[in-house]
Amino acid sequence: MGANWGHSLRLSIFGESHGKAIGINIDGLASGIELDFESIEKNMERRAPGRNKFSTQRKESDSFEILSGIYEGKTTGAPLCAIIRNEDKKSKDYSKLKEVMRPNHSDYPAFIKYRGNNDVRGGGHFSGRITTPIVFAGSIAKTILAKKGIYVGASIKSIKNIEVESLKMEELTLDTFDKLAYKEMAILSDKKILEVKEEIEKARINQDSVGGTIECFAIGVPAGLGEPFFDSLESSISHLAFSIPAVKGIEFGKGFDITRYYGSEIKDEYYYEGEKIKTKRNNNGGILGGLSTGMPISFRVAIKPTPSISKIQNTVNIKTKENCELVIEGRHDPCIVPRAVVVIESVMAIALLDKIYEAGGKYE
């Protein structure tokens, strides 16, 4: 089972949604880094379930236990291993799912690949629950990046048909990122938050779910970070982004809309601001030729509606080999987007730190 990622910074995730614990092993961290445990705990809380009626009512503290790689609050240079114990499991809700395949879930392809031996409880190793250790790793990456003047933040761009205005260039600041992180939903406009909450509540009452998009930014990234072609900065970010179960699409800068313009309209022209080179616009999302340009990096991901809904759905029973109906029981998010914001931030932070470590001392 592919649960490893990275070149210079190497991650290995483990565990299942309803197992004893989930966790991560992080190899390649520099030694002597003093970690900001308060910030890590805050990020873990942002992803944790059971915060309000707009998320699953599974109650998990998502407190972490570091088993190795830390001594007196600093990294030792040895692999850092951490676990997050699963505290609120109701595995009986999944007893029939060994035979009845949930639509829009991994159940059927996983049954084929692992010959029926995969853990189906809560999605097992395919569950969004496994993004928790990714947030832990991303929080550590943010701590290290911040020491280099690099900051990562994200906001909700849309929920179903409700569009939220993108952050303006002048709003891409650490202050804005902190403000978004502490809000009930990562949206600057309180009016838009109310609209989004109404849309999610409508789906919840109708025993349904909705999806949306998240926009992520990194500021302070130096120019020249990344590689061309197969190990481009976009490739690294995309690889991690598509490791998040609900992500179905990604675009950088203007993305697909860039095709609607003439080349003369969409170019990112350079200019000097003192000794620093910038671009007048940032249509390419801060990446050209697979390398960072020094401008803010931006990308958007599409998050699908939560597949577990309480409506009657058509599916198959692989034991009886018959068509059947299914009503999914248990506790599920009517919209996963609000809790996924910090996961997407973690994707950006991990990818950037890996590239910085790849570059050696150039960006120290």
Side-chain angles (χ1 to χ4, degrees):
M1 183 176 281
N4 304 293
W5 179 89
H7 295 284
S8 297
L9 182 69
R10 297 171 294 279
L11 311 182
S12 178
I13 55 175
F14 58 87
E16 293 83 28
S17 178
H18 284 229
K20 289 184 178 180
I22 52 180
I24 191 164
N25 197 67
I26 309 171
D27 190 16
L29 287 172
S31 62
I33 299 167
E34 188 170 355
L35 298 183
D36 184 349
F37 289 104
E38 184 179 345
S39 176
I40 295 172
E41 288 168 359
K42 174 61 183 176
N43 282 323
M44 299 292 279
E45 182 186 333
R46 290 170 63 197
R47 201 224 72 94
R51 295 174 65 197
N52 52 51
K53 66 181 179 179
F54 302 108
S55 69
T56 171
Q57 294 309 292
R58 178 175 177 174
K59 305 290 184 183
E60 297 285 358
S61 66
D62 281 354
S63 57
F64 54 89
E65 179 183 349
I66 296 177
L67 304 182
S68 65
I70 296 288
Y71 181 66
E72 295 183 342
K74 295 181 179 179
T75 57
T76 64
L80 192 158
C81 182
I83 61 171
I84 300 103
R85 299 189 187 278
N86 292 321
E87 301 163 339
D88 185 18
K89 300 170 288 185
K90 291 187 178 180
S91 299
K92 65 179 179 62
D93 292 338
Y94 299 92
S95 57
K96 63 184 176 183
L97 298 180
K98 287 288 287 183
E99 301 165 0
V100 180
M101 305 289 96
R102 292 172 297 175
N104 278 2
H105 275 275
S106 62
D107 297 354
Y108 174 65
F111 174 84
I112 297 297
K113 182 174 177 64
Y114 300 108
R115 296 177 292 178
N117 294 302
N118 54 298
D119 186 347
V120 299
R121 299 169 303 164
H125 190 71
F126 292 88
S127 172
R129 176 103 184 104
I130 313 302
T131 62
T132 311
I134 293 176
V135 171
F136 174 80
S139 301
I140 290 176
K142 285 182 187 178
T143 296
I144 299 170
L145 292 174
K147 296 177 187 298
K148 302 177 185 296
I150 301 170
Y151 303 98
V152 175
S155 62
I156 294 173
K157 183 70 178 69
S158 68
I159 296 290
K160 202 172 184 295
N161 295 323
I162 298 174
E163 291 288 334
V164 178
E165 187 177 0
S166 292
L167 296 181
K168 299 179 177 65
M169 190 75 77
E170 60 270 20
E171 292 175 320
L172 299 181
T173 65
L174 178 58
D175 181 62
T176 299
F177 294 166
D178 285 344
K179 188 181 296 184
L180 287 166
Y182 281 89
K183 299 197 77 167
E184 182 180 15
M185 292 192 181
I187 300 171
L188 286 181
S189 167
D190 290 336
K191 181 181 178 182
K192 279 294 180 181
I193 288 178
L194 289 175
E195 289 182 43
V196 163
K197 287 168 69 173
E198 287 174 5
E199 189 67 52
I200 297 174
E201 176 65 0
K202 185 166 64 175
R204 188 185 70 83
I205 291 172
N206 290 332
Q207 299 181 316
D208 217 325
S209 64
V210 290
T213 58
I214 295 170
E215 196 160 24
C216 191
F217 305 91
I219 56 175
V221 180
L225 192 65
E227 298 289 341
F229 295 102
F230 304 119
D231 286 320
S232 71
L233 189 50
E234 290 135 316
S235 300
S236 296
I237 293 170
S238 299
H239 188 168
L240 275 170
F242 281 117
S243 300
I244 308 308
V247 171
K248 302 305 292 183
I250 187 167
E251 58 181 3
F252 291 81
K254 286 281 189 186
F256 285 96
D257 281 345
I258 209 166
T259 63
R260 302 175 186 274
Y261 297 85
Y262 288 112
S264 58
E265 295 175 308
I266 209 68
K267 59 188 176 183
D268 292 338
E269 296 178 308
Y270 295 107
Y271 72 98
Y272 270 105
E273 187 176 277
E275 295 293 316
K276 194 167 186 179
I277 295 176
K278 294 186 175 182
T279 60
K280 293 180 179 179
R281 292 176 291 181
N282 196 28
N283 297 310
N284 291 277
I287 303 174
L288 289 168
L291 310 177
S292 58
T293 65
M295 295 297 289
I297 294 174
S298 69
F299 70 88
R300 286 174 299 282
V301 292
I303 307 287
K304 73 177 184 179
T306 315
S308 291
I309 58 176
S310 299
K311 289 181 178 292
I312 296 175
Q313 302 181 74
N314 296 314
T315 187
V316 295
N317 185 311
I318 56 174
K319 182 177 181 180
T320 64
K321 296 185 178 180
E322 295 176 327
N323 297 324
C324 65
E325 292 182 338
L326 171 66
V327 174
I328 298 177
E329 300 171 350
R331 302 158 296 174
H332 311 288
D333 294 81
C335 181
I336 200 67
V337 175
R339 291 203 296 131
V341 170
V342 69
V343 183
I344 301 305
E345 290 176 6
S346 298
V347 161
M348 175 83 92
I350 292 167
L352 290 175
L353 185 60
D354 183 50
K355 290 301 182 189
I356 285 174
Y357 279 171
E358 270 186 18
K362 183 176 180 181
Y363 296 104
E364 294 298 328

